[in-house]
Structures are given as C-alpha cells and as structure tokens.
Amino acid sequence: MTKLKGFEFWKNTLKSARFVVAPMVDQSELAWRLLSRRHGAQLCYTPMLHAQVFVRDANYRKENLYCDVCPEDRPLIVQFCANDPEIFVQAALLAQDYCDAVDLNLGCPQMIAKRGHYGAFLQEEWDLLRRMIMLANEKLSVPITCKIRVFPEIAKTVKYAQLLEEAGCQLLTVHGRTKEQKGPLAGVASWEHIQAVRKAVNIPVFANGNVQYLNDVEKCIQKTGVQGVMSAEGNLHNPALFEGRNPVVWEMAEEYLEIVQQYPCPLSYVRAHLFKLWHHTLQVHHRLRDELAKVKSLDGLIAVNQELKLHCQKEIAQLKEGENPQGGLPFFHWICQPYLRPGPKETCKENGASRIEGSTRGKRALEDEEDGTLDSLSKNKQKKKLRNPNKSFDPSLKPKYAKCDQCGNPKGNKCVFNLCRGCCKKRAFRETADCPGHGLLFKTKYEKSLLWKSGQSSLEKIEVKTQEAEVEEALLLKEAIDGVA
C-alpha cells in the first residue's frame, strides 16, 4: 500500500480524530487506553518508549508493545524518545507493524530527558532532527509524526515546525508551553503559538495544553484552527472528559480495574491511576491515602477503592440541602474533575491566588529545608529523619567529591589513576595494570596466567622425559631377554 501523508493520513488512517489521549510515561498503557476509548477518545498514543532499549531488549518490546495487541486499540501511535537517527529507525521498524504511525518525542522537559539528551532538549539541534525524520520517512511503511514544545518566540516556533514538516513529519502535536514551563512553573499554555504554527504548515496539527473540560476542547479548536486536541492531565483525572461528563470517581475506577484484570499491567501503573482519580478525596481521607500507598496486590487496591467508595456514599447520604463543595472545588470531591497544580508561593501572591489552609504547598525553596526541622522537610525526608535523628539535610554539610579526570563523575578516593570506576576499568584493561582501590587486578591476573602456562609447559617436558625413559627401559629389558634366549 502507498503510505498516506498529511491530511489523507489523518482522515483515512486516524479517522479524522479530534479527541486524543497523550503519550504518558507509565500512564497511557493498554488498560487506560481502552478505558479512554470507551469514553470518547478517538486516538491514543503509547507511553514514551526508549528507542535504544527497544532495539536492544526483546523483553522490553514484548512488555510494552507486542503483548498489548488488541483490535479495539486502534488507531494507535507509538512514541519513541531517541537522539540517534539509525537507532530511532531500527526501533521504529520493529514497531511499525503494531501501530498506525511512529511519533518522535521532542516535548519531554523532565530532568531524565536532559540527562539522556532527548525530548525537548533536542529542540535546538535542527540538523540532527532533520536527519532523524528524513531517514524515518524514507525507511518506514507508516507515517512519522512529532510532538514538540514551543520556543518563547512565536517566529522561531513557526520556523521549527516548518523544518519538521519539510523533513517529512506528517502530523505535528504542539504543546503550547516552553521546556522551562513544568511542574509548579507550568503556567498557561499559549494557544497563540499553536495558532501561528497551524497557519504556517500544510499538515494536520494537534494542540496540547489548557484542556480540563470538553468545552475547552471546542474553544481550542475554534481559537487555533487545529484538527484535534490532546489531553494528558485532564484525561488522568477524568477519563470521560471527551464525553463531556463528570462521573463519580468510583464509576471510572471500577471500570478501569475490571479492564486491568483482563489486560494486566504493573501494579505501580494501577496505583498511580487510582491516586489521580481519587486525588481530591484522598485530601480528605488521609488514612486511606496511606493504605493505597502500602497495598501490594491488585486485590488490595480493589479493596481500598471499595472503601473509598463507601466513605463517599456515606457522605452523600449525609449531605444537607444546598450544601456546596468545600476547598474551592467546582464539584464535590467524589466527582471526576481537574486538578489545578499549585504554583510557587511568589506566583500565588502576585496573582492574588487564595490559599486554603492545610492544602498542598508549592515547591519549596532549598533554603527552607536547611534548618532540618520536621515541619519544613518533605514527607520522604521526615521518614529518614525519624529513622536516623542525627541525619542532616544541610547542603553545606554534604561531602564534596573530587571529580574524575576524564568524565566528571566522582573519582575513587583510592584510585591509582584518579578516575571513577568506569574510566579506571577501561584504562587498567588497556594498560594491563592494577588498581587495588577499585579492586581491578588485570596485571596480577595476567602474570598468574603466564605462570600457570609456564608451569604447564614444564609439566609437559617432565611427562615427555618420563615417557622417553620408560621406552628406553623397555628396549633394554627386551635386549636382555633376547640375549638369554
């Protein structure tokens, strides 16, 4: 079949999808995709997969894609993070028979993406991106798509999008935030950037950002002119978002748990989904929050979910006429609804945002924790402090490590080469040297092998001499016998 491109691909293969579930690490697995599709989603992405691991590890391929084949789970786009054209294409070739397109992640802003040099941290490397997309467009039997974040400047964002289109990208998803806008600094996504991109390219565009209700989807399409809208956080807190409904949480939770029993996934994925769905209720029932975190089986999660349901039903029975939701929520806490991530304290003050007493705090500044008091520490550090009362979290008291001369990692204190273990191992092997500090004994082992070989040759000489003496003795004995005869 001829590979479809651009709008033909969107209309025929993706069935003109408008409601899209985003690729989410460990959160857009098969069970969640099926739940979302039942409630209005028309297109789903797999979780972000690591191209290099996908090529190298057969189990990784099986667990994340090959075992997740389901006729209901189409159309489907597989997303990879990568920074090498050859590896990206190898991974895509292994995945193309299980999906309708392959997406290159150019939007992940997290620290792990920075360390791995992929996602949004490739957005300045236009030559590399051009080569990756051109090669994928040439080799794959399915279209190549991209998901990007914007630059602060609209003009640069437009040039970036046009570059990807020229290289062979057939569909572009634009998240209207920069790579610096994440966590408490997320802020509002810029639909102006998305609108400018849509006008500048001749391929379908999906918008991502600021979607909490179905009417936000309609507003976004009208404002930007995009072909579809992608949701991540909104979908996690309300899988029925694209139906325009706000159901009670246990309806969605129970349906999801039933799907998980049919299409199993790691327990950590299920737990994370329940924490998102029950987010507002767990701010009220702290004991059940701890229970949800501790249980170690699917049956245990189902039991906690049932207990949360019973608590909420009891509260509903006790509701007084005309009573309004507490905590500034638009609905009562047992109803699926958006979660507005709190920003930094300074932003809250500038915007005049009201803070509910006892609500979740924004990200703390590092100096807030330097006194080491329990009130100022995170929950994780409080637990460590209880286990070890003498433990200090003062950054100035942390030991300073000398850096490896080659790679910058902490070097071994007793290393004879002043290197970290990885660099030391390479050098010791190359030079056939020892480093007792790292327990590397290449020279010693080599010398022992030489001694063993020389010992073996000595034994062989002794054996040869012994054999020769035995032959000579046998000949003499034969001559003596012949003389007597």
Side-chain angles (χ1 to χ4, degrees), residues 29 31-32 34-36 38-39 235-241 243 245-263 265 269-282 292 298-310 312-313 333-337:
E29 82 287 355
W32 188 260
L34 292 177
L35 176 70
S36 300
R38 289 183 186 181
H39 295 283
N235 166 261
L236 289 175
H237 288 277
N238 181 12
L241 182 152
E243 284 184 323
R245 292 196 306 126
N246 292 87
V248 290
V249 174
W250 60 82
E251 177 190 330
M252 294 292 98
E254 288 176 346
E255 188 175 353
Y256 171 65
L257 290 167
E258 285 176 11
I259 299 173
V260 169
Q261 290 173 308
Q262 187 179 356
Y263 298 99
C265 63
Y269 297 10
V270 184
R271 194 195 313 274
H273 280 301
L274 293 180
F275 266 113
K276 292 281 188 184
L277 287 169
W278 286 109
H279 175 84
H280 298 292
T281 300
L282 292 172
L292 188 60
L298 183 59
D299 288 339
L301 292 176
I302 292 171
V304 175
N305 186 71
Q306 182 64 19
E307 197 172 347
L308 281 162
K309 174 183 176 180
L310 293 173
C312 291
Q313 289 177 333
H333 62 77
W334 54 79
I335 292 175
C336 291
Q337 58 192 296

Side-chain angles (χ1 to χ4, degrees), residues 119-382:
F121 297 93
L122 292 178
Q123 67 179 13
E124 296 284 359
E125 301 190 31
W126 290 10
D127 288 338
L128 172 63
L129 296 181
R130 185 185 290 109
R131 285 188 284 116
M132 290 177 76
I133 296 166
M134 286 179 68
L135 186 62
N137 189 44
E138 177 190 340
K139 300 287 185 183
L140 299 182
S141 61
V142 296
I144 174 76
T145 69
C146 298
K147 184 172 187 289
I148 66 171
R149 283 193 169 227
V150 300
F151 290 97
E153 307 86 6
I154 290 180
K156 188 172 182 180
T157 304
V158 166
K159 285 184 182 178
Y160 181 37
Q162 290 172 330
L163 166 97
L164 299 175
E165 180 189 9
E166 289 168 10
C169 174
Q170 303 303 324
L171 184 148
L172 191 63
T173 300
V174 184
H175 187 155
R177 294 183 176 94
T178 66
K179 72 175 186 292
E180 290 77 26
Q181 288 181 279
K182 58 183 179 179
L185 300 176
V188 178
S190 169
W191 286 356
E192 287 74 22
H193 282 71
I194 299 172
Q195 182 184 37
V197 169
R198 174 67 203 94
K199 288 179 179 178
V201 299
N202 298 307
I203 55 175
V205 175
F206 290 158
N208 185 204
N210 301 349
V211 176
Q212 297 171 355
Y213 301 98
L214 183 60
N215 61 357
D216 293 330
V217 175
E218 303 302 336
K219 286 178 187 174
C220 182
I221 292 174
Q222 289 175 11
K223 166 75 176 174
T224 62
V226 294
Q227 280 61 53
V229 172
M230 178 182 284
S231 173
E233 286 279 328
N235 166 261
L236 289 175
H237 288 277
N238 181 12
L241 182 152
F242 292 128
E243 284 184 323
R245 292 196 306 126
N246 292 87
V248 290
V249 174
W250 60 82
E251 177 190 330
M252 294 292 98
E254 288 176 346
E255 188 175 353
Y256 171 65
L257 290 167
E258 285 176 11
I259 299 173
V260 169
Q261 290 173 308
Q262 187 179 356
Y263 298 99
C265 63
L267 198 68
S268 60
Y269 297 10
V270 184
R271 194 195 313 274
H273 280 301
L274 293 180
F275 266 113
K276 292 281 188 184
L277 287 169
W278 286 109
H279 175 84
H280 298 292
T281 300
L282 292 172
Q283 309 306 308
V284 179
H285 299 287
H286 299 289
R287 181 185 65 81
L288 290 173
R289 180 185 180 85
D290 294 337
E291 286 295 317
L292 188 60
K294 288 176 185 175
V295 290
K296 293 181 169 60
S297 68
L298 183 59
D299 288 339
L301 292 176
I302 292 171
V304 175
N305 186 71
Q306 182 64 19
E307 197 172 347
L308 281 162
K309 174 183 176 180
L310 293 173
H311 275 285
C312 291
Q313 289 177 333
K314 192 181 293 184
E315 286 185 51
I316 293 170
Q318 296 172 352
L319 270 181
K320 297 174 183 176
E321 189 177 347
E323 189 173 343
N324 294 320
Q326 295 181 347
L329 297 176
F331 305 104
F332 289 101
H333 62 77
W334 54 79
I335 292 175
C336 291
Q337 58 192 296
Y339 164 59
L340 300 178
R341 192 187 300 275
K345 294 175 184 177
E346 294 78 9
T347 305
C348 290
K349 287 175 185 175
E350 286 174 7
N351 296 339
S354 59
R355 276 299 184 91
I356 306 148
E357 195 163 336
S359 65
T360 307
R361 294 186 298 176
K363 185 175 281 188
R364 292 180 301 275
L366 186 62
E367 57 268 19
D368 288 349
E369 296 191 357
E370 287 188 357
D371 58 2
T373 59
L374 283 178
D375 289 339
S376 66
L377 296 176
S378 66
K379 285 187 178 180
N380 193 32
K381 289 183 178 179
Q382 286 180 33

Side-chain angles (χ1 to χ4, degrees), residues 5-56:
K5 297 182 178 180
F7 281 94
E8 284 189 354
F9 159 63
W10 174 66
K11 288 176 182 175
N12 298 318
T13 306
L14 302 185
K15 314 297 182 189
S16 300
R18 298 172 76 233
F19 304 147
V20 186
V21 175
M24 298 174 282
V25 178
D26 298 344
Q27 294 283 267
S28 56
E29 82 287 355
L30 176 60
W32 188 260
R33 297 198 299 266
L34 292 177
L35 176 70
S36 300
R37 289 180 191 276
R38 289 183 186 181
H39 295 283
Q42 299 166 335
L43 169 65
C44 293
Y45 284 64
T46 66
M48 182 189 75
L49 305 177
H50 198 295
Q52 191 170 30
V53 182
F54 196 84
V55 170
R56 184 183 68 230

Side-chain angles (χ1 to χ4, degrees), residues 48 50 108-118 121 182:
M48 182 189 75
H50 198 295
C108 182
Q110 303 304 325
M111 185 54 67
I112 191 171
K114 185 175 183 179
R115 288 198 294 265
H117 193 54
Y118 56 80
F121 297 93
K182 58 183 179 179

